[in-house]
């Protein structure tokens, strides 16, 4: 009889399984649970080294928002003051102010675009380097248990997928938030009654955006998993060893069928992403387009009944003001949905950064001052 192999104690075996499990990329339910717990604070920490540039971006956005709300007030002065007086000088002055405000806003927009892209590219560079260096510190066992296609998908697809969010998020969020706040404040200054009636639709779309964002996040995570599976399958089946093994075993049809199934699943996810929230986008555009008509209706009824508190210039300027709210509201809703969906990509990136090292370097290691000795090869 042969002796039974020596078994490790149960606690030691549990520790070994725990280390092996932690050194692998999570998948399935564990990955979905991790994606639902990604805090925005951790994403915001990526921008901390560049907080001075972010502060400059905020300052530029404040000035741009102020410049964007000047024109509607000048329109009201043209309609209510310059035209009744038939003063060409006042018309030229107010029109010149509108041109100057638009030029200043355009120049500030270029500055904000430069700052946001500069911040975003620096953050993307740091993120790529961190992931690459962390993977290089992993042990050889990790690479034998992880498909190279999966790792390539993490670096190329996941980090590349958040490029647009990281690059444009700072500019879009700061600039459009301040613009929307400036337009809302200016609308209440111009006429608080019209503002109360017309701006009531904004909170409704914010709530709908949050619901759509959760749906997009789940679809984004599913898409990235399908992309990684497809990349891993291509890397395995089209390598020299994979093709040799497939042809030797005569499994060409099975491999092609598996590829077709993965491709079809990816197509279904892409179709779901394309149609997700289309109804809300269409209804939002229609409602924001109808708001100026509501303003003209209220103003027309008010004037027709002999009211004097609301002037024609106020109605025209208020409609112009609300038209300036369409762009930031649309952009904020889009970036909210995009950022929510991108949390799935950030979760996959943080999964790599959070992988524990199997063989960490000792923190208290010493470097010898000098090394002396001979190297001898004996019966090699």
């Amino acid at each position: 009889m042969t002796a039974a192999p020596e078994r490790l104690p149960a606690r030691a075996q549990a520790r070994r399984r725990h280390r092996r499990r932690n050194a692998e990329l999570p998948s399935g339910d564990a990955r979905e649970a991790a994606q639902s717990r990604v805090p925005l604070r951790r994403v915001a920490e990526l921008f901390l080294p560049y907080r001075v540039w972010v502060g400059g971006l905020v300052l530029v956005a404040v000035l741009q928002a102020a410049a964007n709300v000047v024109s509607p007030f000048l329109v009201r002065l043209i309609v209510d003051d310059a035209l009744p007086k038939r003063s060409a000088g006042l018309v030229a002055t107010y029109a010149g102010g509108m041109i100057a405000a638009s030029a200043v806003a355009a120049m500030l927009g270029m500055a904000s675009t430069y700052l946001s892209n500069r911040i975003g590219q620096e953050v993307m560079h740091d993120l790529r380097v961190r992931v690459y260096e962390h993977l290089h510190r992993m042990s050889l066992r990790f690479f034998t248990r992880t498909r190279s296609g999966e790792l390539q998908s993490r670096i190329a697809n996941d980090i590349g997928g958040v490029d647009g969010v990281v690059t444009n998020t700072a500019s879009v969020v700061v600039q459009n938030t301040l613009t929307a706040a400036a337009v809302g404040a200016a609308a209440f200054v111009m006429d608080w009654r019209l503002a109360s009636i017309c701006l009531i639709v904004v909170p409704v779309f914010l709530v709908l955006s949050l619901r759509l964002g959760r749906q997009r996040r789940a679809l984004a995570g599913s898409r990235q998993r399908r992309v990684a599976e497809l990349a891993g399958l291509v890397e395995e089946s089209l390598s020299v060893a994979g093709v040799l093994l497939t042809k030797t075993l005569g499994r060409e049809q099975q491999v092609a069928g598996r590829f077709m199934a993965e491709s079809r699943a990816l197509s279904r996810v892409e179709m779901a992403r394309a149609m997700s929230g289309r109804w809300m986008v269409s209804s939002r555009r229609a409602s924001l387009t109808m708001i100026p008509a509501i303003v003209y209706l209220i103003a027309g009824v008010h004037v027709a009944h002999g009211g004097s508190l609301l002037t024609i210039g106020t109605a025209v300027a208020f409609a112009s003001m609300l038209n300036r709210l369409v762009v930031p509201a649309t952009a904020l809703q889009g970036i909210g949905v995009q950022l929510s969906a991108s949390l799935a990509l950030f979760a996959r990136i943080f999964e790599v950064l959070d992988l524990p090292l199997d063989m960490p370097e000792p923190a208290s290691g010493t470097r010898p001052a000098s090394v002396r000795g001979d190297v001898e090869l004996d019966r090699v």
Side-chain angles (χ1 to χ4, degrees), residues 271-350:
M271 190 64 187
R273 287 181 68 241
M275 298 305 298
S276 176
R278 290 296 96 187
W279 61 271
M280 192 178 68
V281 173
S282 300
S283 61
R284 180 196 63 210
R285 291 175 179 173
S287 62
L288 292 177
T289 304
M290 290 185 291
I291 286 178
I294 298 175
V295 173
Y296 290 131
L297 175 62
I298 296 174
V301 172
H302 182 76
V303 174
H305 286 78
S308 59
L309 296 178
L310 184 63
T311 64
I312 297 177
T314 299
V316 174
F318 197 87
S320 175
M321 183 80 72
L322 291 181
N323 284 331
R324 297 174 182 272
L325 186 62
V326 173
V327 173
T330 303
L332 286 176
Q333 184 179 10
I335 200 64
V337 172
Q338 186 180 6
L339 180 59
S340 181
S342 298
L343 288 178
L345 305 184
F346 280 113
R348 290 169 59 86
I349 295 172
F350 293 146

Side-chain angles (χ1 to χ4, degrees), residues 114-256:
Y114 171 79
L115 287 174
S116 64
N117 279 275
R118 182 67 183 271
I119 295 170
Q121 290 305 321
E122 292 294 334
V123 171
M124 289 300 301
H125 169 72
D126 294 344
L127 198 57
R128 283 192 295 263
V129 171
R130 285 177 59 188
V131 172
Y132 186 80
E133 290 181 346
H134 188 75
L135 288 175
H136 262 285
R137 289 195 294 268
M138 300 301 293
S139 66
L140 183 61
R141 184 179 66 180
F142 168 79
F143 294 96
T144 59
R145 295 177 177 270
T146 306
R147 295 180 300 178
S148 59
E150 173 78 9
L151 297 179
Q152 293 171 5
S153 177
R154 296 294 176 115
I155 296 177
N157 297 324
D158 296 345
I159 298 181
V162 301
D163 190 358
V165 175
V166 172
T167 302
N168 299 322
T169 294
S171 175
V172 171
V173 171
V174 174
Q175 179 179 347
N176 289 283
T177 299
L178 293 174
T179 299
V183 170
F188 276 96
V189 170
M190 187 171 292
D191 193 284
W192 65 270
R193 295 161 299 180
L194 288 177
S196 300
I197 295 173
C198 298
L199 298 182
I200 196 173
V201 300
V202 175
V204 175
F205 285 111
L206 290 179
V207 174
L208 293 177
S209 297
L210 293 177
R211 296 182 59 184
L212 180 59
R214 288 192 291 268
Q215 181 182 3
R216 288 283 182 88
R217 185 191 309 181
L219 290 174
S222 178
R223 176 188 181 276
Q224 291 306 112
R225 289 193 297 273
R226 294 298 181 185
V227 169
E229 288 292 332
L230 201 61
L233 178 59
V234 170
E235 189 272 335
E236 289 178 355
S237 59
L238 295 184
S239 64
V240 175
V243 171
L244 180 61
L245 183 62
T246 300
K247 290 183 177 297
T248 302
L249 300 178
R251 299 185 67 249
E252 291 89 346
Q253 294 296 328
Q254 291 86 342
V255 172

